[in-house]
Amino acid sequence: MSGLTAVPARRGKAARMKAGQTIKIVNTHGTQVLDTWAFRSDDLHEFMSMEHTRPQIGKIIPAVGDALRSNKRTPMLTWLEDSSPGIHDTLVAACDVHRYRHFGIKDYHDNCTDNLHAAMRELGLTPPEVPCPLNMWMNIPVGADHKIAFLPTVAKRGDHVLLRAEMDLIMAFSACPMDVTPINGPGGDIRDCHFQIS
């Protein structure tokens, strides 16, 4: 793992990127969903938006060659490589304390919303809101009846995605702590992921 930065299991991590740099994001153990955000460095009110990306790419799952757009419809990241089966999610909001209360969990449960705030706080920043993330490797198929399902990721150990920054960015991640639905595998084991900026 030399040169790679960990996104610890159940926690978040953020980092700065310059325009033109690439980021390799690795599903280290092959079972982990990674909530992924990007914010414009000099204006956090501009951020990667799944709602604005989907109409531009004409589909619900981005792939190699696609641009991930901001809420101002500006390209923020370009998708360069994907060694996984290419199953990711752009529909589901980041988990939060309210989601776990919906499941009947009354005590505090780690969640991606709080992980985003904690990760940004390490850089001295506060996100103005919690955008819908790109849920890297999350498997949320849409059926013919228009219903969605929450299925285990099909990513394999070591699968990676490579993205190129089209502007100066703050990248933020959460190794999703969801252990109620089977998105991180039927055992609910939450694992580290890693990334490398070049």
Side-chain angles (χ1 to χ4, degrees), residues 101-127:
R101 286 176 186 154
H102 172 80
F103 287 120
I105 298 172
K106 296 179 181 178
D107 294 332
Y108 181 78
H109 193 290
D110 296 323
N111 64 85
C112 291
T113 294
D114 289 350
N115 286 348
L116 170 63
H117 283 279
M120 297 285 277
R121 193 160 50 243
E122 288 183 356
L123 299 181
L125 301 171
T126 301

Side-chain angles (χ1 to χ4, degrees), residues 21 25-26 50 52 62 83 97 102 112 140 146 163 171 174 186:
Q21 287 188 308
I25 306 165
V26 183
M50 296 301 95
H52 293 82
S83 71
V97 293
H102 172 80
C112 291
I140 308 293
H146 309 298
L163 306 174
M171 294 295 301
S174 172

Side-chain angles (χ1 to χ4, degrees), residues 61-130:
I61 300 179
V64 171
D66 288 335
L68 303 173
R69 303 275 176 154
S70 77
N71 55 321
K72 295 184 179 179
R73 302 186 190 273
T74 307
M76 298 190 81
L77 292 154
T78 300
W79 202 297
L80 300 180
E81 295 177 9
D82 190 349
S83 71
S84 78
I87 302 300
H88 310 279
D89 170 66
T90 65
L91 301 176
V92 178
C95 62
D96 50 34
V97 293
H98 310 292
R99 175 84 165 134
Y100 293 103
R101 286 176 186 154
H102 172 80
F103 287 120
I105 298 172
K106 296 179 181 178
D107 294 332
Y108 181 78
H109 193 290
D110 296 323
N111 64 85
C112 291
T113 294
D114 289 350
N115 286 348
L116 170 63
H117 283 279
M120 297 285 277
R121 193 160 50 243
E122 288 183 356
L123 299 181
L125 301 171
T126 301
E129 60 180 278
V130 180

Side-chain angles (χ1 to χ4, degrees), residues 40-53:
R40 186 180 183 119
S41 291
D42 60 359
D43 180 7
L44 298 182
H45 289 89
E46 185 171 4
F47 46 78
M48 184 171 66
S49 168
M50 296 301 95
E51 299 93 321
H52 293 82
T53 296

Side-chain angles (χ1 to χ4, degrees), residues 25-46:
I25 306 165
V26 183
N27 198 329
T28 313
H29 303 282
T31 59
Q32 184 61 45
V33 169
L34 190 72
D35 286 38
T36 302
W37 295 271
F39 296 83
R40 186 180 183 119
S41 291
D42 60 359
D43 180 7
L44 298 182
H45 289 89
E46 185 171 4

